[in-house]
């Protein structure tokens, strides 16, 4: 069975063709400067058609389109419910209709973090586990939870996916969601520039000399070279991710916590610290939660989207 | 149908006889100085027998004993899994066997916060709701969550009930559970004495002149009279409870958040502030979570325990 999948991210979209559960071809489209989702849809449809054609697969030989979206979605009705920042026009779009009209394919929509968890469970680090929490550290912080083999959804489709909006600092920074001290307002790539700018002594840090605002790879590199401000912000960020991990474990009672997202490109700087924090501070009298890096990286969500058509 | 119920709290046990879902007689036993649960069991059994006999009900005319415990429990197997502080011997006790041998009654065990939620849903402020989170503010902070009409339990029976152990201050105080910055380590009656003692200027507060360590009723009273330190600690505590409320709403996606526990004896000082915090800061694009005080007060768990024998 052939399937097309799209994982829409903050900075790019990943497209893939799966055949019998295996990725066969993929493509990445940069979205820098994109203003809303609607203007992107024609080029997405075109790219998906080309991707299939390049493998000699006609659209009519595909069973459907799996679509991962970075925001709150109603997977049952196939509608975007809300977004925080990018693609704010998406809730008004009928993506199912667009998929049928432009590709002739039925669409299944899923939140991107839920899709990543499904992918890691199908083909990655969560194989064999029914109780899984995933935390993705990137531009923002994403979350998803599976309990007893089922994705947690909740009455309004937002259970499990607000891991980045757990308040870990009750007198903390304002978040773009309206919250105070949300994990992603305290320690995510989007928050980093602002955090650095207000950090005492930042102007003397090597980070201040970079041509663009630092991301976490820059920060970990500077910290490894002994930059004092980088060390301080690194340790603060790790403590925040540790607290968020504990919050998710306390909330959902998993066997395993997966870490994913772009920041895990620096997994050596992150994973052991979160593991130690969880083992010291999570209250799990039954034993220890396994803390693992996702195995599928950027393609976790693509793999998960390919499981939506059983 | 007659049922006996026991709600074991930190400072006292509440006992009741229910007939056809209605409380018929109740009794309170002070537990000050209690050293573990096992030494209490004979007097509990005796008091339960007396309570029934006082109403002319024989134990053999009762259908069972509902037992609420302040800690992690496996409700399916009827075992205490872990406690934080009091009754640390409970996990080694076979309470089902005790109930059968001393009262001739089958026992159903439940976490006290889950029982309180069941009670409020059966006969209190959560009637008609299937998606409910309860936060109890008292000696510690308790939590419980119902999603789609079912109590959330989780793989190791601890989902939903660790609301007091959501980290709301990532560089915060050590909690008795091993965590850092847990809600109840930052703002609960047990944490209050320590918090007051280390508060700058506390020695000049009217609270410092009280004969015993202040509880939240004392604190709210002093704040209402303009005591500066009391105002500061009150506002900090309210911010922490607000953050905890948002964490629970973000985790479980409820329609209604119930507030209970002894601190809600000062509901006028708490409820409007938490309502405002939630409506300002919880990310719920579908609408507004109702924030309500529980209606059953101390007897919520007793009512819930009476629903365990359908």
């Amino acid at each position: 069975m052939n399937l097309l999948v799209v994982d829409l991210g903050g900075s790019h979209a990943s497209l893939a063709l799966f055949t019998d559960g295996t990725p066969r071809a993929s493509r990445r489209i940069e979205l820098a400067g994109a203003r809303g989702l609607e203007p992107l849809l024609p080029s997405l449809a075109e790219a998906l058609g080309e991707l299939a054609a390049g493998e000699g697969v006609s659209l009519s030989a595909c069973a459907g389109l799996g679509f991962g979206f970075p925001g709150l979605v109603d997977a049952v009705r196939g509608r975007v419910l809300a977004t925080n920042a990018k693609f704010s026009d998406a809730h008004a779009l009928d993506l199912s209709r667009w998929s049928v009209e432009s590709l002739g394919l039925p669409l299944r929509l899923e939140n991107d973090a839920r899709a990543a968890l499904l992918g890691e469970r199908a083909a990655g680090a969560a194989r064999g586990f029914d109780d899984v929490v995933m935390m993705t550290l990137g531009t923002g912080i994403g979350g998803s939870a599976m309990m007893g083999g089922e994705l947690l959804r909740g009455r309004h489709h937002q259970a499990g996916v607000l891991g980045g909006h757990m308040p870990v600092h009750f007198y903390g920074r304002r978040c773009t969601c309206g919250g105070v001290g949300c994990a992603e307002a305290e320690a995510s790539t989007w928050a980093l520039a602002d955090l650095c700018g207000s950090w005492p002594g930042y102007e003397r840090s090597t980070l201040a000399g970079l041509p663009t605002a630092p991301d976490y790879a820059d920060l970990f590199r500077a910290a490894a070279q002994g930059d004092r401000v980088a060390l301080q912000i690194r340790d603060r960020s790790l403590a925040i991710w540790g607290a968020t991990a504990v919050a998710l474990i306390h909330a959902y009672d998993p066997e395993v916590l997966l870490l994913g997202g772009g920041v895990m490109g620096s997994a050596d700087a992150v994973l052991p610290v979160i593991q130690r924090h969880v083992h010291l501070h999570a209250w799990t009298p039954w034993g220890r939660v396994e803390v693992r890096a996702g195995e599928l990286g950027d393609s976790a969500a693509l793999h998960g989207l390919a499981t939506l058509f059983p």
Side-chain angles (χ1 to χ4, degrees), chain A:
Chain A
M1 182 174 67
N2 301 303
L3 285 171
L4 287 166
V5 293
V6 180
D7 178 28
L8 193 66
S11 62
H12 65 276
S14 297
L15 284 54
L17 170 71
F18 277 72
T19 298
D20 299 332
T22 304
R24 183 162 156 185
S26 64
R27 183 170 160 188
R28 181 179 163 121
I29 300 181
E30 297 306 317
L31 300 180
R35 300 168 66 90
L37 179 55
E38 192 169 22
L40 293 175
L41 292 177
S43 56
L44 273 182
E46 193 181 329
L48 286 163
E50 288 171 8
L51 190 70
E55 294 294 311
V57 173
S58 67
L59 287 173
S60 60
C62 294
L65 172 66
F67 198 108
F69 184 84
L72 301 181
V73 308
D74 175 347
V76 179
R77 290 173 54 242
R79 298 300 293 235
V80 171
L81 298 173
T83 64
N84 182 13
K86 214 155 189 177
F87 309 124
S88 55
D89 63 332
H91 75 278
L93 303 178
D94 186 341
L95 293 171
S96 295
R97 191 169 152 186
W98 161 76
S99 180
V100 168
E101 290 183 354
S102 61
L103 297 164
L105 296 178
L107 175 136
R108 301 240 169 122
L109 183 69
E110 189 50 278
N111 166 275
D112 58 349
R114 286 199 186 115
L117 191 157
L118 287 175
E120 290 288 352
R121 184 162 179 259
R127 266 173 299 193
F129 290 100
D130 282 343
D131 295 271
V132 184
V133 168
M134 186 156 187
M135 175 165 81
T136 56
L137 306 170
T139 307
I141 296 181
S144 49
M146 173 173 280
M147 296 180 71
E150 299 287 331
L151 284 175
L152 195 71
R153 298 191 177 279
R155 183 171 186 94
H156 316 94
H157 310 279
Q158 61 183 72
V161 296
L162 296 185
H165 301 280
M166 300 304 261
V168 292
H169 191 186
F170 68 96
Y171 275 156
R173 307 163 79 84
R174 272 306 185 103
C175 184
T176 51
C177 79
V180 175
C182 295
E184 74 166 53
E186 300 289 341
S188 70
T189 303
W190 74 253
L192 190 57
D194 188 41
L195 190 69
C196 284
S198 62
W199 200 269
Y202 183 70
E203 66 283 0
R204 293 188 299 278
S205 163
T206 57
L207 294 169
L210 296 176
T212 56
D215 62 14
Y216 272 101
D218 299 319
L219 185 84
F220 292 133
R221 204 176 301 116
Q225 291 162 358
D227 184 279
R228 200 174 54 85
V229 166
L231 283 164
Q232 291 168 345
I233 299 178
R234 179 197 70 178
D235 291 347
R236 182 181 187 276
S237 298
L238 288 166
I240 287 161
W241 297 332
T244 311
V246 169
L248 296 176
I249 290 167
H250 284 182
Y252 303 121
D253 193 8
E255 306 167 88
V256 59
L257 170 73
L258 297 187
L259 302 180
V263 172
M264 287 298 286
S266 311
D268 289 353
V270 178
L271 186 63
V273 184
I274 306 295
Q275 281 172 329
R276 184 160 179 277
H277 188 98
V278 163
H279 293 159
L280 277 175
H281 300 305
W283 190 27
T284 54
W286 58 269
R288 277 186 167 190
V289 174
E290 285 232 33
V291 182
R292 298 183 175 183
E295 290 173 5
L296 303 176
D298 276 355
S299 66
L302 296 174
H303 277 269
L305 294 167
T307 71
L308 297 181
F309 293 84

